[in-house]
PDB file of all heavy atoms in Angstrom:
ATOM      1  N   GLU B  17     177.844  14.722  30.379  1.00  0.00           N
ATOM      2  CA  GLU B  17     176.857  15.829  30.489  1.00  0.00           C
ATOM      3  C   GLU B  17     176.273  15.933  31.902  1.00  0.00           C
ATOM      4  O   GLU B  17     175.973  16.982  32.414  1.00  0.00           O
ATOM      5  CB  GLU B  17     175.715  15.592  29.466  1.00  0.00           C
ATOM      6  CG  GLU B  17     176.166  15.679  28.044  1.00  0.00           C
ATOM      7  CD  GLU B  17     176.626  17.082  27.668  1.00  0.00           C
ATOM      8  OE1 GLU B  17     176.217  18.085  28.335  1.00  0.00           O
ATOM      9  OE2 GLU B  17     177.353  17.177  26.638  1.00  0.00           O
ATOM     10  N   HIS B  18     176.161  14.811  32.540  1.00  0.00           N
ATOM     11  CA  HIS B  18     175.341  14.747  33.793  1.00  0.00           C
ATOM     12  C   HIS B  18     176.094  14.149  34.975  1.00  0.00           C
ATOM     13  O   HIS B  18     175.551  14.040  36.105  1.00  0.00           O
ATOM     14  CB  HIS B  18     174.013  14.004  33.621  1.00  0.00           C
ATOM     15  CG  HIS B  18     173.172  14.493  32.482  1.00  0.00           C
ATOM     16  ND1 HIS B  18     172.571  15.778  32.533  1.00  0.00           N
ATOM     17  CD2 HIS B  18     172.967  13.974  31.284  1.00  0.00           C
ATOM     18  CE1 HIS B  18     171.928  15.961  31.352  1.00  0.00           C
ATOM     19  NE2 HIS B  18     172.116  14.894  30.575  1.00  0.00           N
ATOM     20  N   GLY B  19     177.295  13.622  34.763  1.00  0.00           N
ATOM     21  CA  GLY B  19     178.030  12.953  35.831  1.00  0.00           C
ATOM     22  C   GLY B  19     177.497  11.558  36.069  1.00  0.00           C
ATOM     23  O   GLY B  19     176.652  11.016  35.381  1.00  0.00           O
ATOM     24  N   TYR B  20     178.089  10.972  37.139  1.00  0.00           N
ATOM     25  CA  TYR B  20     177.651   9.618  37.472  1.00  0.00           C
ATOM     26  C   TYR B  20     176.346   9.634  38.301  1.00  0.00           C
ATOM     27  O   TYR B  20     176.246  10.398  39.337  1.00  0.00           O
ATOM     28  CB  TYR B  20     178.719   8.926  38.356  1.00  0.00           C
ATOM     29  CG  TYR B  20     179.894   8.402  37.426  1.00  0.00           C
ATOM     30  CD1 TYR B  20     180.974   9.121  37.366  1.00  0.00           C
ATOM     31  CD2 TYR B  20     179.854   7.118  36.864  1.00  0.00           C
ATOM     32  CE1 TYR B  20     182.075   8.692  36.509  1.00  0.00           C
ATOM     33  CE2 TYR B  20     180.854   6.740  36.130  1.00  0.00           C
ATOM     34  CZ  TYR B  20     182.022   7.486  35.942  1.00  0.00           C
ATOM     35  OH  TYR B  20     183.065   6.987  35.183  1.00  0.00           O
ATOM     36  N   GLN B  21     175.457   8.863  37.879  1.00  0.00           N
ATOM     37  CA  GLN B  21     174.144   8.742  38.599  1.00  0.00           C
ATOM     38  C   GLN B  21     173.697   7.320  38.624  1.00  0.00           C
ATOM     39  O   GLN B  21     174.058   6.560  37.704  1.00  0.00           O
ATOM     40  CB  GLN B  21     172.974   9.611  37.867  1.00  0.00           C
ATOM     41  CG  GLN B  21     173.286  10.985  37.846  1.00  0.00           C
ATOM     42  CD  GLN B  21     172.320  11.785  36.932  1.00  0.00           C
ATOM     43  OE1 GLN B  21     171.708  11.223  35.974  1.00  0.00           O
ATOM     44  NE2 GLN B  21     172.113  13.019  37.290  1.00  0.00           N
ATOM     45  N   PHE B  22     173.018   6.937  39.740  1.00  0.00           N
ATOM     46  CA  PHE B  22     172.552   5.467  39.821  1.00  0.00           C
ATOM     47  C   PHE B  22     171.040   5.529  40.090  1.00  0.00           C
ATOM     48  O   PHE B  22     170.553   6.145  40.947  1.00  0.00           O
ATOM     49  CB  PHE B  22     173.173   4.761  40.964  1.00  0.00           C
ATOM     50  CG  PHE B  22     172.693   3.359  41.143  1.00  0.00           C
ATOM     51  CD1 PHE B  22     173.170   2.334  40.342  1.00  0.00           C
ATOM     52  CD2 PHE B  22     171.743   3.124  42.115  1.00  0.00           C
ATOM     53  CE1 PHE B  22     172.623   1.058  40.480  1.00  0.00           C
ATOM     54  CE2 PHE B  22     171.129   1.832  42.315  1.00  0.00           C
ATOM     55  CZ  PHE B  22     171.677   0.797  41.513  1.00  0.00           C
ATOM     56  N   VAL B  23     170.315   4.936  39.095  1.00  0.00           N
ATOM     57  CA  VAL B  23     168.906   4.715  39.233  1.00  0.00           C
ATOM     58  C   VAL B  23     168.529   3.293  39.073  1.00  0.00           C
ATOM     59  O   VAL B  23     168.843   2.604  38.148  1.00  0.00           O
ATOM     60  CB  VAL B  23     168.163   5.519  38.068  1.00  0.00           C
ATOM     61  CG1 VAL B  23     166.618   5.331  38.135  1.00  0.00           C
ATOM     62  CG2 VAL B  23     168.537   7.005  38.039  1.00  0.00           C
ATOM     63  N   ASN B  24     167.940   2.781  40.166  1.00  0.00           N
ATOM     64  CA  ASN B  24     167.713   1.308  40.189  1.00  0.00           C
ATOM     65  C   ASN B  24     166.383   0.978  39.292  1.00  0.00           C
ATOM     66  O   ASN B  24     165.351   0.616  39.879  1.00  0.00           O
ATOM     67  CB  ASN B  24     167.533   0.872  41.596  1.00  0.00           C
ATOM     68  CG  ASN B  24     167.492  -0.700  41.741  1.00  0.00           C
ATOM     69  OD1 ASN B  24     167.845  -1.340  40.836  1.00  0.00           O
ATOM     70  ND2 ASN B  24     166.968  -1.158  42.923  1.00  0.00           N
ATOM     71  N   ASP B  25     166.548   1.010  38.018  1.00  0.00           N
ATOM     72  CA  ASP B  25     165.441   0.877  37.108  1.00  0.00           C
ATOM     73  C   ASP B  25     165.575  -0.415  36.243  1.00  0.00           C
ATOM     74  O   ASP B  25     164.809  -0.625  35.347  1.00  0.00           O
ATOM     75  CB  ASP B  25     165.314   2.123  36.158  1.00  0.00           C
ATOM     76  CG  ASP B  25     166.590   2.369  35.370  1.00  0.00           C
ATOM     77  OD1 ASP B  25     167.582   1.566  35.534  1.00  0.00           O
ATOM     78  OD2 ASP B  25     166.689   3.374  34.589  1.00  0.00           O
ATOM     79  N   GLY B  26     166.594  -1.228  36.626  1.00  0.00           N
ATOM     80  CA  GLY B  26     166.733  -2.470  35.908  1.00  0.00           C
ATOM     81  C   GLY B  26     167.465  -2.302  34.594  1.00  0.00           C
ATOM     82  O   GLY B  26     167.580  -3.348  33.793  1.00  0.00           O
ATOM     83  N   LYS B  27     167.891  -1.065  34.235  1.00  0.00           N
ATOM     84  CA  LYS B  27     168.480  -0.916  32.969  1.00  0.00           C
ATOM     85  C   LYS B  27     170.073  -0.748  33.200  1.00  0.00           C
ATOM     86  O   LYS B  27     170.583  -1.074  34.220  1.00  0.00           O
ATOM     87  CB  LYS B  27     167.954   0.384  32.221  1.00  0.00           C
ATOM     88  CG  LYS B  27     166.492   0.288  32.051  1.00  0.00           C
ATOM     89  CD  LYS B  27     166.012   1.568  31.265  1.00  0.00           C
ATOM     90  CE  LYS B  27     164.540   1.455  31.082  1.00  0.00           C
ATOM     91  NZ  LYS B  27     163.968   2.784  30.449  1.00  0.00           N
ATOM     92  N   GLY B  28     170.720  -0.323  32.195  1.00  0.00           N
ATOM     93  CA  GLY B  28     172.245  -0.142  32.338  1.00  0.00           C
ATOM     94  C   GLY B  28     172.547   0.928  33.288  1.00  0.00           C
ATOM     95  O   GLY B  28     171.835   1.925  33.464  1.00  0.00           O
ATOM     96  N   TYR B  29     173.651   0.773  33.902  1.00  0.00           N
ATOM     97  CA  TYR B  29     174.103   1.620  34.998  1.00  0.00           C
ATOM     98  C   TYR B  29     175.417   2.404  34.623  1.00  0.00           C
ATOM     99  O   TYR B  29     176.388   1.796  34.266  1.00  0.00           O
ATOM    100  CB  TYR B  29     174.320   1.001  36.372  1.00  0.00           C
ATOM    101  CG  TYR B  29     173.089   0.186  36.824  1.00  0.00           C
ATOM    102  CD1 TYR B  29     173.216  -1.042  37.262  1.00  0.00           C
ATOM    103  CD2 TYR B  29     171.795   0.789  36.907  1.00  0.00           C
ATOM    104  CE1 TYR B  29     172.068  -1.877  37.629  1.00  0.00           C
ATOM    105  CE2 TYR B  29     170.631   0.081  37.260  1.00  0.00           C
ATOM    106  CZ  TYR B  29     170.912  -1.215  37.673  1.00  0.00           C
ATOM    107  OH  TYR B  29     169.712  -1.938  38.099  1.00  0.00           O
ATOM    108  N   LYS B  30     175.406   3.682  34.757  1.00  0.00           N
ATOM    109  CA  LYS B  30     176.560   4.510  34.401  1.00  0.00           C
ATOM    110  C   LYS B  30     177.772   4.197  35.264  1.00  0.00           C
ATOM    111  O   LYS B  30     178.956   4.488  34.889  1.00  0.00           O
ATOM    112  CB  LYS B  30     176.262   6.012  34.297  1.00  0.00           C
ATOM    113  CG  LYS B  30     175.396   6.420  33.196  1.00  0.00           C
ATOM    114  CD  LYS B  30     175.198   7.969  33.120  1.00  0.00           C
ATOM    115  CE  LYS B  30     174.474   8.377  34.302  1.00  0.00           C
ATOM    116  NZ  LYS B  30     174.199   9.850  34.227  1.00  0.00           N
ATOM    117  N   VAL B  31     177.456   3.760  36.572  1.00  0.00           N
ATOM    118  CA  VAL B  31     178.588   3.564  37.535  1.00  0.00           C
ATOM    119  C   VAL B  31     179.402   2.474  37.081  1.00  0.00           C
ATOM    120  O   VAL B  31     180.518   2.166  37.710  1.00  0.00           O
ATOM    121  CB  VAL B  31     177.962   3.353  38.922  1.00  0.00           C
ATOM    122  CG1 VAL B  31     177.304   4.548  39.387  1.00  0.00           C
ATOM    123  CG2 VAL B  31     176.987   2.181  38.883  1.00  0.00           C
ATOM    124  N   ALA B  32     179.074   1.681  36.139  1.00  0.00           N
ATOM    125  CA  ALA B  32     179.868   0.562  35.645  1.00  0.00           C
ATOM    126  C   ALA B  32     181.013   0.983  34.764  1.00  0.00           C
ATOM    127  O   ALA B  32     181.905   0.176  34.462  1.00  0.00           O
ATOM    128  CB  ALA B  32     179.062  -0.517  34.917  1.00  0.00           C
ATOM    129  N   PHE B  33     180.992   2.244  34.389  1.00  0.00           N
ATOM    130  CA  PHE B  33     181.976   2.800  33.398  1.00  0.00           C
ATOM    131  C   PHE B  33     183.038   3.552  34.082  1.00  0.00           C
ATOM    132  O   PHE B  33     182.729   4.489  34.847  1.00  0.00           O
ATOM    133  CB  PHE B  33     181.248   3.612  32.363  1.00  0.00           C
ATOM    134  CG  PHE B  33     180.274   2.779  31.489  1.00  0.00           C
ATOM    135  CD1 PHE B  33     178.997   2.645  31.860  1.00  0.00           C
ATOM    136  CD2 PHE B  33     180.704   2.165  30.388  1.00  0.00           C
ATOM    137  CE1 PHE B  33     178.052   1.894  31.117  1.00  0.00           C
ATOM    138  CE2 PHE B  33     179.800   1.327  29.531  1.00  0.00           C
ATOM    139  CZ  PHE B  33     178.482   1.212  29.995  1.00  0.00           C
ATOM    140  N   PHE B  34     184.348   3.248  33.788  1.00  0.00           N
ATOM    141  CA  PHE B  34     185.437   3.928  34.460  1.00  0.00           C
ATOM    142  C   PHE B  34     185.551   5.397  34.043  1.00  0.00           C
ATOM    143  O   PHE B  34     185.113   5.819  32.884  1.00  0.00           O
ATOM    144  CB  PHE B  34     186.636   3.141  34.189  1.00  0.00           C
ATOM    145  CG  PHE B  34     186.801   1.843  35.006  1.00  0.00           C
ATOM    146  CD1 PHE B  34     185.679   1.057  35.160  1.00  0.00           C
ATOM    147  CD2 PHE B  34     187.967   1.549  35.589  1.00  0.00           C
ATOM    148  CE1 PHE B  34     185.799  -0.068  35.985  1.00  0.00           C
ATOM    149  CE2 PHE B  34     188.068   0.350  36.406  1.00  0.00           C
ATOM    150  CZ  PHE B  34     187.006  -0.423  36.519  1.00  0.00           C
ATOM    151  N   PRO B  35     186.212   6.215  34.837  1.00  0.00           N
ATOM    152  CA  PRO B  35     186.179   7.674  34.623  1.00  0.00           C
ATOM    153  C   PRO B  35     187.052   8.346  33.651  1.00  0.00           C
ATOM    154  O   PRO B  35     186.831   9.514  33.207  1.00  0.00           O
ATOM    155  CB  PRO B  35     186.368   8.198  36.058  1.00  0.00           C
ATOM    156  CG  PRO B  35     187.284   7.178  36.601  1.00  0.00           C
ATOM    157  CD  PRO B  35     186.816   5.838  36.130  1.00  0.00           C
ATOM    158  N   LEU B  36     188.177   7.705  33.280  1.00  0.00           N
ATOM    159  CA  LEU B  36     189.220   8.470  32.545  1.00  0.00           C
ATOM    160  C   LEU B  36     188.749   8.903  31.209  1.00  0.00           C
ATOM    161  O   LEU B  36     188.901  10.081  30.804  1.00  0.00           O
ATOM    162  CB  LEU B  36     190.492   7.699  32.418  1.00  0.00           C
ATOM    163  CG  LEU B  36     191.668   8.287  31.623  1.00  0.00           C
ATOM    164  CD1 LEU B  36     192.060   9.620  32.423  1.00  0.00           C
ATOM    165  CD2 LEU B  36     192.851   7.394  31.421  1.00  0.00           C
ATOM    166  N   TYR B  37     188.140   8.030  30.521  1.00  0.00           N
ATOM    167  CA  TYR B  37     187.647   8.364  29.124  1.00  0.00           C
ATOM    168  C   TYR B  37     186.647   9.547  29.111  1.00  0.00           C
ATOM    169  O   TYR B  37     186.833  10.541  28.395  1.00  0.00           O
ATOM    170  CB  TYR B  37     187.124   7.138  28.407  1.00  0.00           C
ATOM    171  CG  TYR B  37     186.785   7.346  26.935  1.00  0.00           C
ATOM    172  CD1 TYR B  37     187.742   7.786  26.055  1.00  0.00           C
ATOM    173  CD2 TYR B  37     185.493   7.058  26.523  1.00  0.00           C
ATOM    174  CE1 TYR B  37     187.470   7.946  24.688  1.00  0.00           C
ATOM    175  CE2 TYR B  37     185.166   7.182  25.127  1.00  0.00           C
ATOM    176  CZ  TYR B  37     186.262   7.687  24.239  1.00  0.00           C
ATOM    177  OH  TYR B  37     185.883   7.782  22.916  1.00  0.00           O
ATOM    178  N   PRO B  38     185.543   9.446  29.920  1.00  0.00           N
ATOM    179  CA  PRO B  38     184.611  10.564  29.976  1.00  0.00           C
ATOM    180  C   PRO B  38     185.254  11.849  30.507  1.00  0.00           C
ATOM    181  O   PRO B  38     184.869  12.916  30.171  1.00  0.00           O
ATOM    182  CB  PRO B  38     183.454  10.043  30.845  1.00  0.00           C
ATOM    183  CG  PRO B  38     184.008   8.879  31.584  1.00  0.00           C
ATOM    184  CD  PRO B  38     185.056   8.282  30.626  1.00  0.00           C
ATOM    185  N   THR B  39     186.226  11.764  31.399  1.00  0.00           N
ATOM    186  CA  THR B  39     187.000  12.921  31.896  1.00  0.00           C
ATOM    187  C   THR B  39     187.642  13.634  30.813  1.00  0.00           C
ATOM    188  O   THR B  39     187.690  14.820  30.733  1.00  0.00           O
ATOM    189  CB  THR B  39     187.924  12.530  32.993  1.00  0.00           C
ATOM    190  OG1 THR B  39     187.263  11.896  34.149  1.00  0.00           O
ATOM    191  CG2 THR B  39     188.702  13.753  33.458  1.00  0.00           C
ATOM    192  N   LEU B  40     188.364  12.851  29.923  1.00  0.00           N
ATOM    193  CA  LEU B  40     189.054  13.424  28.702  1.00  0.00           C
ATOM    194  C   LEU B  40     188.091  14.167  27.808  1.00  0.00           C
ATOM    195  O   LEU B  40     188.325  15.213  27.298  1.00  0.00           O
ATOM    196  CB  LEU B  40     189.872  12.372  28.029  1.00  0.00           C
ATOM    197  CG  LEU B  40     191.013  11.859  28.787  1.00  0.00           C
ATOM    198  CD1 LEU B  40     191.732  10.705  28.013  1.00  0.00           C
ATOM    199  CD2 LEU B  40     192.077  12.842  29.143  1.00  0.00           C
ATOM    200  N   ILE B  41     186.953  13.504  27.689  1.00  0.00           N
ATOM    201  CA  ILE B  41     185.946  14.099  26.761  1.00  0.00           C
ATOM    202  C   ILE B  41     185.326  15.418  27.355  1.00  0.00           C
ATOM    203  O   ILE B  41     185.154  16.446  26.699  1.00  0.00           O
ATOM    204  CB  ILE B  41     184.720  13.125  26.432  1.00  0.00           C
ATOM    205  CG1 ILE B  41     185.229  11.930  25.708  1.00  0.00           C
ATOM    206  CG2 ILE B  41     183.594  13.812  25.682  1.00  0.00           C
ATOM    207  CD1 ILE B  41     184.196  10.847  25.541  1.00  0.00           C
ATOM    208  N   TYR B  42     185.179  15.349  28.667  1.00  0.00           N
ATOM    209  CA  TYR B  42     184.680  16.539  29.418  1.00  0.00           C
ATOM    210  C   TYR B  42     185.727  17.715  29.308  1.00  0.00           C
ATOM    211  O   TYR B  42     185.297  18.883  29.103  1.00  0.00           O
ATOM    212  CB  TYR B  42     184.430  16.190  30.911  1.00  0.00           C
ATOM    213  CG  TYR B  42     183.982  17.373  31.735  1.00  0.00           C
ATOM    214  CD1 TYR B  42     182.619  17.838  31.613  1.00  0.00           C
ATOM    215  CD2 TYR B  42     184.876  17.990  32.627  1.00  0.00           C
ATOM    216  CE1 TYR B  42     182.232  18.881  32.335  1.00  0.00           C
ATOM    217  CE2 TYR B  42     184.433  19.076  33.301  1.00  0.00           C
ATOM    218  CZ  TYR B  42     183.075  19.559  33.208  1.00  0.00           C
ATOM    219  OH  TYR B  42     182.669  20.603  33.943  1.00  0.00           O
ATOM    220  N   LEU B  43     186.994  17.398  29.489  1.00  0.00           N
ATOM    221  CA  LEU B  43     188.004  18.449  29.313  1.00  0.00           C
ATOM    222  C   LEU B  43     187.979  19.059  27.950  1.00  0.00           C
ATOM    223  O   LEU B  43     188.222  20.211  27.750  1.00  0.00           O
ATOM    224  CB  LEU B  43     189.412  17.902  29.671  1.00  0.00           C
ATOM    225  CG  LEU B  43     189.593  17.489  31.111  1.00  0.00           C
ATOM    226  CD1 LEU B  43     190.933  16.788  31.441  1.00  0.00           C
ATOM    227  CD2 LEU B  43     189.454  18.672  32.125  1.00  0.00           C
ATOM    228  N   SER B  44     187.799  18.171  26.967  1.00  0.00           N
ATOM    229  CA  SER B  44     187.730  18.633  25.552  1.00  0.00           C
ATOM    230  C   SER B  44     186.485  19.551  25.371  1.00  0.00           C
ATOM    231  O   SER B  44     186.573  20.537  24.649  1.00  0.00           O
ATOM    232  CB  SER B  44     187.663  17.489  24.553  1.00  0.00           C
ATOM    233  OG  SER B  44     188.803  16.601  24.724  1.00  0.00           O
ATOM    234  N   LYS B  45     185.382  19.218  26.097  1.00  0.00           N
ATOM    235  CA  LYS B  45     184.184  19.997  26.028  1.00  0.00           C
ATOM    236  C   LYS B  45     184.464  21.452  26.591  1.00  0.00           C
ATOM    237  O   LYS B  45     183.980  22.374  25.998  1.00  0.00           O
ATOM    238  CB  LYS B  45     183.109  19.338  26.767  1.00  0.00           C
ATOM    239  CG  LYS B  45     181.861  20.123  26.838  1.00  0.00           C
ATOM    240  CD  LYS B  45     180.788  19.402  27.655  1.00  0.00           C
ATOM    241  CE  LYS B  45     179.537  20.359  27.847  1.00  0.00           C
ATOM    242  NZ  LYS B  45     178.536  19.748  28.819  1.00  0.00           N
ATOM    243  N   ILE B  46     185.204  21.444  27.605  1.00  0.00           N
ATOM    244  CA  ILE B  46     185.521  22.744  28.240  1.00  0.00           C
ATOM    245  C   ILE B  46     186.340  23.635  27.226  1.00  0.00           C
ATOM    246  O   ILE B  46     186.194  24.872  27.190  1.00  0.00           O
ATOM    247  CB  ILE B  46     186.328  22.573  29.549  1.00  0.00           C
ATOM    248  CG1 ILE B  46     185.391  21.911  30.596  1.00  0.00           C
ATOM    249  CG2 ILE B  46     186.875  23.944  30.016  1.00  0.00           C
ATOM    250  CD1 ILE B  46     186.079  21.629  31.920  1.00  0.00           C
ATOM    251  N   MET B  47     187.205  22.940  26.476  1.00  0.00           N
ATOM    252  CA  MET B  47     187.986  23.608  25.490  1.00  0.00           C
ATOM    253  C   MET B  47     187.180  24.043  24.186  1.00  0.00           C
ATOM    254  O   MET B  47     187.710  24.688  23.330  1.00  0.00           O
ATOM    255  CB  MET B  47     189.150  22.653  25.007  1.00  0.00           C
ATOM    256  CG  MET B  47     190.177  22.391  26.222  1.00  0.00           C
ATOM    257  SD  MET B  47     191.368  21.136  25.721  1.00  0.00           S
ATOM    258  CE  MET B  47     192.106  21.862  24.457  1.00  0.00           C
ATOM    259  N   GLY B  48     185.977  23.661  24.141  1.00  0.00           N
ATOM    260  CA  GLY B  48     185.066  24.065  23.011  1.00  0.00           C
ATOM    261  C   GLY B  48     184.718  23.009  22.097  1.00  0.00           C
ATOM    262  O   GLY B  48     183.997  23.226  21.017  1.00  0.00           O
ATOM    263  N   PHE B  49     185.080  21.741  22.236  1.00  0.00           N
ATOM    264  CA  PHE B  49     184.850  20.674  21.396  1.00  0.00           C
ATOM    265  C   PHE B  49     183.420  20.109  21.687  1.00  0.00           C
ATOM    266  O   PHE B  49     183.102  20.003  22.800  1.00  0.00           O
ATOM    267  CB  PHE B  49     185.822  19.573  21.502  1.00  0.00           C
ATOM    268  CG  PHE B  49     187.156  19.868  20.853  1.00  0.00           C
ATOM    269  CD1 PHE B  49     188.156  20.388  21.608  1.00  0.00           C
ATOM    270  CD2 PHE B  49     187.410  19.541  19.486  1.00  0.00           C
ATOM    271  CE1 PHE B  49     189.400  20.791  21.045  1.00  0.00           C
ATOM    272  CE2 PHE B  49     188.628  19.892  18.906  1.00  0.00           C
ATOM    273  CZ  PHE B  49     189.679  20.481  19.679  1.00  0.00           C
ATOM    274  N   ASP B  50     182.751  19.649  20.617  1.00  0.00           N
ATOM    275  CA  ASP B  50     181.496  18.829  20.801  1.00  0.00           C
ATOM    276  C   ASP B  50     181.895  17.518  21.367  1.00  0.00           C
ATOM    277  O   ASP B  50     182.881  16.858  20.925  1.00  0.00           O
ATOM    278  CB  ASP B  50     180.853  18.677  19.445  1.00  0.00           C
ATOM    279  CG  ASP B  50     179.535  17.954  19.630  1.00  0.00           C
ATOM    280  OD1 ASP B  50     179.610  16.695  19.684  1.00  0.00           O
ATOM    281  OD2 ASP B  50     178.509  18.520  19.664  1.00  0.00           O
TER     282      ASP B  50
END
């Protein structure tokens, strides 16, 4: 939904997650899937 962002708030960081899986979900979203 929002892409990769880094906020130094002491919580979990999205940059630790690799891109292929969310990319496939994003492409599915473009095709109309939730």
Side-chain angles (χ1 to χ4, degrees):
E17 297 294 341
H18 307 290
Y20 283 94
Q21 298 172 331
F22 177 79
V23 179
N24 192 15
D25 55 4
K27 299 180 180 179
Y29 304 131
K30 291 188 291 184
V31 292
F33 297 88
F34 282 45
L36 181 60
Y37 187 56
T39 299
L40 293 176
I41 297 176
Y42 178 77
L43 293 175
S44 300
K45 177 186 175 184
I46 294 176
M47 296 169 61
F49 286 90
D50 180 278

